[in-house]
Amino acid sequence: ERVGEGPITLILVPGWTMNTTVFSKQFEHFAGSKDFTVISLDPRSQGLSTHTSEGNFYEQFGRDLNAFIVALDLKNIVLAGWSNGGFQALSYLHQFGTDRLVGFIMLDAAPTGRADDNTNHWAWYAKDDADGFCEFFTQGSIVDRQQMNLEFAKWMVTTTTPEYLNWITGVSNMTSDSVAALTNANSFYQDYQKDLAGLEGKLPLLYVVRKDWESVATAWAKINTPSAKVAVMDKHLSFWETPAQFNDPLDAFLMTIKE
């Protein structure tokens, strides 16, 4: 999906089992822009992209993203990953560096999949999975996918409607149970904290996180990337449900790059 025709390219990478439609409100926001080109893609085995039996892990997703960028010869890129799409963006950064980048955005994404305590550190899971969070998404994907999808969909927004639940669970179901389980399990082992911290002083950084993560993301940024701008939204998918919560800090961030 592509809108706008500006010299700076914003790439929006969807999260786990999601596709480009989650960014529909951003496409609307930037439609007709002469300052920014906004592009999103369905990652391997998600949405309308080719579904493969192999290559469904984050190191390969980073290589896929590089192949996409090279094929379209994209430059002056602001790279933004949402949720586990953050690991795809960080995997790209780890393997291919910053030559084509002019900014980096973490959209309710974490720089690591695990920490000793995921309530006090910016990480998705606890190393011992004491809260069962990793098990819920990994086992849930293969044992009771539809119940897991329903709970996941409810967790992402403030207000649910039948139309929303049908849409978001339908999107998730485009990814197979086995790939959903594998990619969630693989996310547990991703750790790009050094790569993200290494951007300090090199690229402008924006972290937009849900309220639950405000304190941990702010604390991490203060220590590792003090120049990063931190903005807060209500829930994991608030950039779709209440677009201004993302679009407003995004506009301000992009204008600093444009200048």
Side-chain angles (χ1 to χ4, degrees):
E1 302 289 341
R2 180 173 186 153
V3 299
E5 51 184 50
I8 296 174
T9 299
L10 172 65
I11 299 180
L12 299 167
V13 184
W16 179 69
T17 73
M18 295 288 105
N19 70 5
T20 64
T21 61
V22 296
F23 296 119
S24 60
K25 305 300 176 65
Q26 285 65 54
F27 296 147
E28 293 173 8
H29 183 68
F30 287 99
S33 175
K34 301 299 183 182
D35 297 316
F36 304 101
T37 300
V38 179
I39 297 177
S40 185
L41 69 157
D42 291 356
R44 171 191 298 254
S45 299
Q46 296 178 204
L48 298 178
S49 283
T50 303
H51 290 233
T52 66
S53 58
E54 302 296 335
N56 296 295
F57 57 99
Y58 287 95
E59 288 79 0
Q60 182 59 48
F61 288 143
R63 294 193 282 268
D64 290 346
L65 185 54
N66 179 66
F68 178 82
I69 288 170
V70 170
L72 295 182
D73 193 26
L74 301 176
K75 300 174 183 176
N76 299 319
I77 297 167
V78 176
L79 185 55
W82 168 55
S83 193
N84 276 0
F87 287 146
Q88 299 193 34
L90 288 164
S91 174
Y92 169 86
L93 173 68
H94 178 76
Q95 296 178 82
F96 301 101
T98 60
D99 287 351
R100 292 176 181 259
L101 304 184
V102 295
F104 198 87
I105 299 172
M106 298 282 281
L107 179 53
D108 213 35
T112 183
R114 65 200 186 281
D116 290 335
D117 178 0
N118 62 332
T119 62
N120 291 308
H121 297 276
W122 196 13
W124 283 110
Y125 301 125
K127 287 181 179 179
D128 62 1
D129 200 32
D131 57 5
F133 199 34
C134 188
E135 180 181 4
F136 172 79
F137 286 107
T138 303
Q139 286 289 94
S141 293
I142 50 180
V143 174
D144 193 346
R145 178 73 181 280
Q146 299 319 307
Q147 183 60 35
M148 185 277 295
N149 274 347
L150 185 62
E151 295 303 316
F152 181 44
K154 290 178 178 177
W155 174 78
M156 288 197 285
V157 296
T158 300
T159 303
T160 58
T161 64
E163 292 78 12
Y164 160 73
L165 292 174
N166 287 337
W167 164 60
I168 206 70
T169 57
V171 169
S172 184
N173 281 330
M174 296 174 80
T175 298
S176 71
D177 296 352
S178 58
V179 169
L182 175 60
T183 49
N184 186 75
N186 182 237
S187 73
F188 182 88
Y189 298 99
Q190 305 309 301
D191 188 349
Y192 297 104
Q193 294 181 89
K194 291 182 180 178
D195 298 281
L196 186 57
L199 295 181
E200 176 64 23
K202 294 183 179 178
L203 291 179
L205 300 170
L206 173 64
Y207 307 152
V208 181
V209 297
R210 67 186 186 280
K211 289 179 179 177
D212 292 350
W213 263 357
E214 180 180 6
S215 61
V216 294
T218 301
W220 192 95
K222 184 177 180 180
I223 294 170
N224 296 281
T225 55
S227 69
K229 305 295 184 184
V230 180
V232 179
M233 58 186 185
D234 292 330
K235 303 286 281 186
H236 195 49
L237 196 54
S238 287
F239 62 90
W240 172 83
E241 186 179 24
T242 315
Q245 292 188 15
F246 176 47
N247 291 349
D248 288 352
L250 175 61
D251 282 345
F253 178 72
L254 292 177
M255 291 309 295
T256 66
I257 295 174
K258 179 188 173 187
E259 294 170 357

